[in-house]
Amino acid sequence: MEETMQQTTESVGCHQKNRTESEGYDGAQTFMWIIGENLVEVQTGTTNLLELILSPENLNRSYRQVIGNDGSGGVDKMGTSELLPYLNLHKDELIEQLLKGKYRPNPVRRVDIPKDNGKARQLGIPTVVDRFIQQAISQVLIPIYEREFNDNSFGFRPNRSAHDALKRVQEYADNGYHYCINLDLERFFDTVNHSKLIEVLSRTIKDGRVISLIHHYLKAGVMVAHKYESTEEGVPQGGPLSPILSNILLNELDKELSRRGHPFVRYADDCLILVKSKRATERVRDSISTYLEKKLFLKVNMEKTIIGDVRGMKYLGYSFY
């Protein structure tokens, strides 16, 4: 299967270059990437990021990941078993559309997943082809942004877990941070401001074609009971891009907390801020809530945001004693 996929993507004609040193972009960040059997240095600030996303090696990885994850089909009802035949027939057209900025993603299919509290979590299931493209984008964004992410961020990141987040909270508690603010971001994934996210992305990603493609995914819309609804805000949960995009935006919160000197632990949109005095909890809660609402355009649910002693505080389904 892997060899067949290699044939599917090999003739795309991506403009790859084997580099051993930085080329011609002042101040650009670089990271190491494997192309073929060579370890090369890739500049994140150059305009070749889309070619890296569409490279045969990256697309092969994306294909294997999508097939391995399986999952249900999107609005076109195509299953993962149909992806390879589709790519064999349409990969040249698909790659050309992506390179020229003409590709338009399909709307996601709305699925409601019951939660323990009786409510439902709304997922957006992209088509298999869109999952394939999103996965390819995500695989290139992750090593770029891992350099920028805070060590106290644990959700949706390689080799990090909820257990690691809980251990970090315990470490802070053992070091005298006995009080905390358990932030509740109201419907975070549904309320992400597209303009703010694109602004933050554009600080690092200098390939405008990649920014535009991500923007098209944000604006792709959703099908609810066979009826199309536009998506003017939010990052739909259910696609491979959502985790990295959510971390990119919330990394702004991480940087602000670090700038203010507040220890914290964040797992996706679940953030626990640690302080040493009970008196500081309300002050920190209010000031950070103002920052989130004024700067990141996110809403804090003040009724569900809990302040108090770390002992007995429930975080990620566990309590500390």
Side-chain angles (χ1 to χ4, degrees), residues 290-303:
T290 299
Y291 167 80
L292 284 162
E293 295 182 357
K294 299 294 184 182
K295 298 297 184 180
L296 299 186
F297 309 111
L298 297 170
K299 184 172 179 55
V300 176
N301 188 326
M302 299 299 280
E303 292 183 1

Side-chain angles (χ1 to χ4, degrees), residues 69-87:
N69 290 342
D70 198 10
S72 58
V75 293
D76 62 358
K77 300 182 180 179
M78 181 190 294
T80 54
S81 63
E82 301 171 81
L83 179 57
L84 183 58
Y86 176 88
L87 292 173

Side-chain angles (χ1 to χ4, degrees), residues 103-294:
Y103 181 78
R104 294 297 178 268
N106 284 290
V108 298
R109 180 171 63 88
R110 171 68 52 79
V111 176
D112 291 337
I113 305 298
K115 297 169 65 174
D116 293 338
N117 60 8
K119 296 182 179 181
R121 174 180 288 109
Q122 294 183 332
L123 297 185
I125 308 300
T127 65
V128 173
V129 173
D130 281 323
R131 294 210 294 272
F132 170 65
I133 298 170
Q134 285 193 33
Q135 180 65 32
I137 299 170
S138 177
Q139 288 170 177
V140 170
L141 294 187
I142 287 172
I144 294 173
Y145 280 97
E146 275 297 308
R147 300 165 58 108
E148 299 186 10
F149 288 162
N150 194 286
D151 189 50
N152 284 341
S153 165
F154 293 90
F156 306 136
R157 295 185 62 188
N159 304 313
R160 287 169 175 257
S161 67
H163 183 68
D164 295 327
L166 294 168
K167 284 178 60 179
R168 185 64 54 86
V169 174
Q170 190 64 59
E171 289 171 8
Y172 280 127
D174 292 343
N175 286 321
Y177 292 91
H178 296 154
Y179 297 92
C180 65
I181 302 97
N182 193 345
L183 278 178
D184 186 279
L185 296 179
E186 189 170 316
R187 299 173 54 245
F188 166 71
F189 285 92
D190 297 328
T191 60
V192 168
N193 183 280
H194 290 173
S195 295
K196 185 63 182 181
L197 176 57
I198 292 299
E199 174 202 324
V200 174
L201 277 165
S202 298
R203 295 176 196 164
T204 299
I205 305 302
K206 302 304 179 182
D207 189 333
R209 300 168 301 170
V210 175
I211 297 294
S212 179
L213 180 57
I214 292 173
H215 192 216
H216 285 312
Y217 272 111
L218 293 174
K219 305 281 285 185
V222 58
M223 294 296 293
V224 183
H226 305 292
K227 182 180 179 181
Y228 174 82
E229 294 182 5
S230 62
T231 46
E232 301 303 321
E233 62 180 5
V235 177
Q237 297 183 74
L241 259 180
S242 300
I244 181 66
L245 293 181
S246 65
N247 267 338
I248 289 169
L249 182 61
L250 288 176
N251 188 50
E252 298 299 297
L253 170 62
D254 299 348
K255 290 190 289 187
E256 181 66 16
L257 289 169
S258 297
R259 187 185 70 80
R260 298 186 186 192
H262 296 316
F264 69 94
V265 175
R266 184 174 64 78
Y267 191 92
D269 58 328
D270 290 316
C271 185
L272 200 70
I273 306 170
L274 288 302
V275 294
K276 287 190 173 181
S277 70
K278 185 176 182 179
R279 185 174 59 181
T281 55
E282 290 188 12
R283 173 177 55 82
V284 173
R285 177 198 61 190
D286 293 344
S287 62
I288 290 299
S289 296
T290 299
Y291 167 80
L292 284 162
E293 295 182 357
K294 299 294 184 182

Side-chain angles (χ1 to χ4, degrees), residues 4-9 11-12 59-60 62-64 66-67 78 80-95 98 128-130 132-133:
T4 307
M5 184 56 189
Q6 182 68 37
Q7 294 171 0
T8 300
T9 56
S11 61
V12 166
L59 291 181
N60 274 318
S62 176
Y63 172 80
R64 291 193 298 267
V66 170
I67 294 299
M78 181 190 294
T80 54
S81 63
E82 301 171 81
L83 179 57
L84 183 58
Y86 176 88
L87 292 173
N88 277 324
L89 289 173
H90 301 287
K91 52 95 177 172
D92 289 335
E93 176 187 358
L94 179 62
I95 296 296
L98 288 163
V128 173
V129 173
D130 281 323
F132 170 65
I133 298 170

